[in-house]
Amino acid sequence: MMPAPVTALRLTVYVGESDTAAGSGGLGGLGGRPLYSEIVHRAHAAGLAGASVFRGIEGFGASSRIHTSRLLSLSEDLPVAVVIVDAAERVRAFLPVLRELTGPGSGGLITLDEVEIPPETPA
């Protein structure tokens, strides 16, 4: 009999590549670390199972301004998604830290999705 899949929570944070953490005073407060990197380091410090950062090649958000990686545009603010998957209670416990980093008016979007992790396939 195959073991049942595990249910987990996927947290995705959509930000701009050049965004910095709320209250960081720009590049000074966090030693120049971008917001996506600070999220990953805080997730690691919180003991979450893992975090990955995905850089988009084109997109737009709250500003409705399109950001693209096409050569003629040379955008330095491409869309970035930080994805964290762990047990629901651990992800929800991390939300206050995330809200502290993103702050009001940051333009970042946080989503939560229930996901299913299939059991390992026997060799």
Side-chain angles (χ1 to χ4, degrees), residues 50-73:
S52 297
V53 178
F54 299 93
R55 184 178 190 218
I57 57 171
E58 189 167 25
F60 70 94
S63 72
S64 294
R65 194 168 139 244
I66 293 180
H67 304 275
T68 181
S69 65
R70 283 182 271 161
L71 186 60
L72 296 175
S73 297

Side-chain angles (χ1 to χ4, degrees), residues 2-114:
M2 192 167 170
V6 175
T7 301
L9 200 59
R10 176 178 51 211
L11 168 99
T12 306
V13 186
Y14 301 93
V15 297
E17 188 176 26
S18 65
D19 289 350
T20 55
S24 70
L27 295 177
L30 293 172
R33 186 180 286 170
L35 176 57
Y36 64 84
S37 181
E38 187 65 22
I39 293 169
V40 169
H41 283 81
R42 298 273 185 106
H44 183 262
L48 292 170
S52 297
V53 178
F54 299 93
R55 184 178 190 218
I57 57 171
E58 189 167 25
F60 70 94
S63 72
S64 294
R65 194 168 139 244
I66 293 180
H67 304 275
T68 181
S69 65
R70 283 182 271 161
L71 186 60
L72 296 175
S73 297
L74 295 176
S75 176
E76 293 181 10
D77 193 25
L78 293 171
V80 174
V82 181
V83 179
I84 297 169
V85 178
D86 204 334
E89 61 274 3
R90 294 173 57 84
V91 170
R92 290 190 189 285
F94 186 66
L95 286 174
V97 174
L98 194 55
R99 288 193 181 105
E100 172 195 325
L101 290 173
T102 56
S106 70
L109 173 67
I110 301 168
T111 63
L112 296 170
D113 303 290
E114 191 173 285

